Amino acid sequence: MSKAFKILAIDGGGFRGVYSAHLLKRIEEEFSVDWRNDFDLLAGTSTGSIIAASLALGKGAGEVLDMYSRHGAEIFRKPFGPRLGLLASKYPKSSLRSVLENFFDNAKLGDIKVPLIIPATDIANGGVHVFKSSYHNEFLRDKDVCVADAVLASCSAPTYFPPMLLPGEKPYLLADGGLWANSPSLVAAIDAKRRLDASLEDLRVLSVGTGQAKSFYPIKAFRGRGIFGWGFAGRWGRGKFIEMLLNLQSETANNMLGLLLKQDQILRLNFDSDKRLPLDRPEDFDDLVTRADREFTHRSALIQEFITLAQEKSS
C-alpha cells in the first residue's frame, strides 16, 4: 500500500481567517490532529499564511484564533485623516507588523522543519514570489527570511495594506499572494509532486476556505459612469472588487485541482454567504466562529473519514 501525502491548504481572506482557525481548532480537539507531524505539506496565503506558519512552528490553531480575537480591531483600525486616491491603502501595516513580530518572535523560514509554502506577489517584477521553508536542497533564498516578514508580505492585500519591501541585499517589493494563489491548494499539490516526489494518486488535500459570497456588477450601474465605473458602480467599491477577485481565484484553483485528482482525494471546507463578506470586519468574529462550528458539526463524519483514511494509508 502506497503512502498518502497529506496537504493542508488555507485560503486568504483577511479577518475571515477566524473561520479557518476555529474550524482547524475543532478538528485538532476532536480528532487529535497534530498538523505539523500528521501532514506532509502546509500552505497558506494571506491570512491563511498566518495559520499555516503557526501550525508549522508547532502552535495550535487555538493560539491563532486567540490572536485574531485580541488584535483584530488593532490591525483593522482606520487611520485619522483622508486617504488620497482610489488605490490608497485603507490601513497602515505598522499594527499588523507589530502583531506578527510578537507572535512569531525571531523565527526564520530556515528554522521550520516541515514543508511550508507561503505565496506572495512580486509587484516590482510583475511575477510570483513563493516563500518556502528549507524542505529542498535547492531552496536557498528564503532560509534567513523572518517568518513575520514572509507572512506580512503575503497579507499585503492591495488597497487594504501597502506593499511590503522585503529587507536584504536584493530587496523585493511584495504584495498579497491572493492576487494569483488565494487558495494555495493547487500550488501545494504541484510542489508536492515536483519537489517532494509525491505521486498525484497519493495526494490527500484538505483545503480550507474563509467563506465565499457571490458578487457581480449590475450593468445598469455602469451606464454613464465613465472612468469611475470600477470604483463607484452602484453600491460597488474597491473592496468589493478585490473580494470578487480573491473569490474567483480560490474557486478556479480548487476546480482545477479537482480535474487533476479524484473526488475522494480532496476535502474542501468552506461556506457560502448571500451577503458580502468583507476582509476587515473584526466585529464579525462571533459570526465566523458560528459558521465554522456549523461546518464542523454538519461535516464531522466526512472530516473524520477523510483524516482517518489518510492516516491509515500512511501507516
Side-chain angles (χ1 to χ4, degrees):
M1 182 176 291
S2 58
K3 176 180 173 60
F5 189 99
K6 299 177 291 299
I7 296 172
L8 172 65
I10 310 168
D11 287 17
F15 192 76
R16 291 170 6 213
V18 166
Y19 171 85
S20 309
H22 186 72
L23 188 53
L24 294 173
K25 175 177 177 286
R26 290 298 312 273
I27 295 174
E28 281 180 16
E29 295 172 344
E30 297 295 330
F31 305 133
S32 301
V33 175
D34 180 347
W35 302 107
R36 180 169 62 168
N37 293 313
D38 292 344
F39 277 67
D40 302 290
L41 174 60
L42 307 177
T45 300
S46 194
T47 196
S49 73
I50 299 176
I51 304 171
S54 299
L55 302 181
L57 286 166
K59 296 178 182 289
E63 294 180 67
V64 188
L65 185 66
D66 182 62
M67 185 269 286
Y68 282 117
S69 175
R70 289 186 291 112
H71 298 292
E74 172 188 346
I75 292 170
F76 293 108
R77 180 182 295 123
K78 295 180 182 178
F80 293 105
R83 288 173 283 122
L84 301 177
L86 284 176
L87 297 180
S89 298
K90 197 173 181 180
Y91 306 100
K93 62 173 178 282
S94 54
S95 294
L96 177 58
R97 176 188 288 278
S98 177
V99 170
L100 293 176
E101 288 178 345
N102 288 332
F103 193 65
F104 291 115
D105 201 11
N106 295 315
K108 293 181 169 53
L109 287 173
D111 298 330
I112 295 177
K113 306 304 181 185
V114 297
L116 171 68
I117 292 176
I118 298 176
T121 302
D122 182 352
I123 60 174
N125 292 298
V128 304
H129 190 103
V130 186
F131 291 102
K132 298 178 181 180
S133 58
S134 301
Y135 59 86
H136 193 279
N137 55 18
E138 293 181 4
F139 298 162
L140 302 176
R141 183 194 64 190
D142 299 334
K143 61 184 179 64
D144 294 322
V145 174
C146 290
V147 173
D149 285 338
V151 169
L152 181 60
S154 188
C155 287
S156 297
T159 78
Y160 285 91
F161 295 104
M164 159 77 175
L165 185 63
L166 190 69
E169 294 181 4
K170 298 179 180 179
Y172 293 90
L173 186 62
L174 305 175
D176 188 2
L179 292 173
W180 66 278
N182 196 56
S183 173
S185 55
L186 184 61
V187 176
I190 292 172
D191 219 56
K193 183 178 187 303
R194 183 181 178 193
R195 302 289 188 179
L196 296 170
D197 299 322
S199 69
L200 290 179
E201 293 76 15
D202 291 332
L203 296 185
R204 296 295 181 275
V205 182
L206 178 59
S207 176
V208 183
T210 60
Q212 178 168 302
K214 289 294 183 182
S215 302
F216 59 91
Y217 277 90
I219 296 174
K220 182 178 179 180
F222 265 94
R223 299 188 188 280
R225 295 286 179 173
I227 63 172
F228 298 107
W230 289 109
F232 298 108
R235 298 173 58 192
W236 276 79
R238 58 186 184 168
K240 290 185 180 181
F241 180 60
I242 295 296
E243 292 159 20
M244 182 181 71
L245 292 181
L246 300 184
N247 286 341
L248 286 173
Q249 200 292 317
S250 290
E251 187 174 0
T252 300
N254 283 287
N255 286 345
M256 293 175 67
L257 186 62
L259 296 176
L260 290 176
L261 306 181
K262 295 178 180 178
Q263 185 175 357
D264 64 353
Q265 291 181 263
I266 308 169
L267 178 58
R268 175 71 170 166
L269 302 177
N270 203 11
F271 72 92
D272 293 320
S273 174
D274 57 358
K275 297 180 180 180
R276 185 187 169 197
L277 294 171
L279 279 65
D280 57 347
R281 286 178 55 90
E283 58 267 37
D284 289 344
F285 183 90
D286 290 338
D287 290 334
L288 292 165
V289 167
T290 299
R291 292 275 197 174
D293 256 349
R294 183 180 188 279
E295 179 76 1
F296 179 82
T297 300
H298 283 226
R299 304 189 72 191
S300 59
L302 186 61
I303 294 170
Q304 184 177 27
E305 179 183 11
F306 185 86
I307 290 176
T308 300
L309 287 176
Q311 290 172 337
E312 288 177 351
K313 193 168 184 181
S314 297
S315 60

